[in-house]
Amino acid sequence: MKLVTYLHNGKEAVGVLSEDGTAVHPLPFPDMNALIEVPREQLLAAAEAAKGALPLAAVTLLAPIPRPRQDIICLGMNYRDHLTEAANYDSAFAKERPVTVYFSKRVSQAVAPEGFIESHTGLVERLDYEAELAVIIGRTVKNVKAADAADYIFGYTILNDVSARLLQTSHKQFYFGKSLDGFTPMGPCITTADEIAFPPALRISSRVNGEPRQDSTTDLLITSIADIIEELSSGMTLLPGTIIATGTP
């Protein structure tokens, strides 16, 4: 299933895309966070029973999770080529040890897939882009081994980890330079985990004004999704709806 949050007649709702991607079937859940928490059987039954369809042209797609319940968990330099690129840009990004770099990104309101990215003129000199595969956790995760990690994934989406690079480097940490309002475009949908083989081998790319800037595949992650879930859950509880941005190529 491809699940979306959309605006129709001034009201926010959730739904499932039709197989041909031209319509949205409304689902009876208040928001995407609530939908993620319901048992899978209940979600499947609701999708099967969904009546009516709204043409995609009649709705405005929002970020699939417009208001994440917690900060997004992010990974830094998780593609080998990006690790080298970042270290060449500024020594602050150099990794002295081959350990995973985790940081968080505050998101009060995620930006719609065709939405507006605020420039923060006066505070930010320029913006940078980071296309990433994001993992959506579907069940409470604690002390889960990598071999079982796939069972805890609800689905996947794409996000742009917009960054104010000079703020990021001047503060010697990532949080402020990545957490300004409007810095997390997301979507257009969550593709449920059953539709993607695990581990995902998906192409990740970005274009700026039509010019190719990034292009790689998620099977080149340094720390795999399964290992991310095992490592994080060994010391913290991951709740349903948790978003993990797996790094940018």
Side-chain angles (χ1 to χ4, degrees):
M1 286 183 289
K2 289 182 169 58
L3 301 165
V4 296
T5 298
Y6 63 92
L7 201 63
H8 183 248
N9 290 336
K11 295 183 179 180
E12 188 176 306
V14 294
V16 57
L17 286 179
S18 61
E19 289 190 9
D20 62 5
T22 64
V24 177
H25 301 283
L27 293 174
F29 305 104
D31 57 37
M32 191 65 75
N33 283 313
L35 182 156
I36 290 169
E37 289 188 332
V38 304
R40 177 168 173 76
E41 296 75 15
Q42 184 179 342
L43 174 58
L44 291 174
E48 184 71 23
K51 296 181 179 179
L54 298 169
L56 198 60
V59 305
T60 300
L61 292 183
L62 304 177
I65 306 179
R67 289 166 294 280
R69 286 177 172 168
Q70 298 177 310
D71 286 0
I72 294 174
I73 300 172
C74 302
L75 277 77
M77 286 80 77
N78 200 29
Y79 290 80
R80 182 63 58 185
D81 52 355
H82 182 51
L83 172 60
T84 302
E85 177 186 45
N88 289 337
Y89 173 80
D90 192 297
S91 60
F93 292 113
K95 290 173 66 176
E96 297 179 358
R97 295 177 294 138
V99 296
T100 308
V101 174
Y102 293 108
F103 61 95
S104 62
K105 182 181 180 80
R106 185 172 183 82
V107 184
S108 57
Q109 179 83 27
V111 174
E114 299 293 335
F116 176 77
I117 300 173
E118 187 175 349
S119 64
H120 296 278
T121 303
L123 175 64
V124 175
E125 179 178 323
R126 64 180 184 270
L127 302 182
D128 207 351
Y129 47 86
E130 296 189 4
E132 307 197 17
L133 177 71
V135 177
I136 314 297
I137 296 297
R139 298 163 52 195
T140 299
V141 184
K142 181 66 175 176
N143 293 321
V144 169
K145 295 301 181 184
D148 301 317
D151 296 337
Y152 293 82
I153 296 173
F154 177 80
Y156 305 90
T157 192
I158 199 78
L159 64 78
N160 184 352
D161 179 19
V162 179
S163 306
R165 199 67 72 199
L166 296 182
L167 277 182
Q168 184 181 343
T169 54
S170 65
H171 282 268
K172 305 301 180 185
Q173 49 77 39
F174 296 177
Y175 191 75
F176 186 41
K178 288 177 172 284
S179 298
L180 303 186
D181 290 346
F183 269 24
T184 310
M186 187 191 304
C189 66
I190 295 174
T191 300
T192 53
D194 59 296
E195 294 204 3
I196 297 175
F198 190 85
L202 304 172
R203 182 160 295 282
I204 299 293
S205 63
S206 69
R207 293 174 180 267
V208 177
N209 298 327
E211 178 187 352
R213 296 291 182 90
Q214 296 178 282
D215 188 23
S216 192
T217 57
T218 59
D219 55 346
L220 297 178
L221 291 172
I222 295 172
T223 303
S224 70
I225 293 170
D227 288 336
I228 292 167
I229 291 173
E230 176 175 333
E231 185 168 49
L232 289 175
S233 72
S234 69
M236 66 173 71
T237 301
L238 305 178
L239 300 176
T242 297
I243 304 170
I244 303 173
T246 57
T248 197

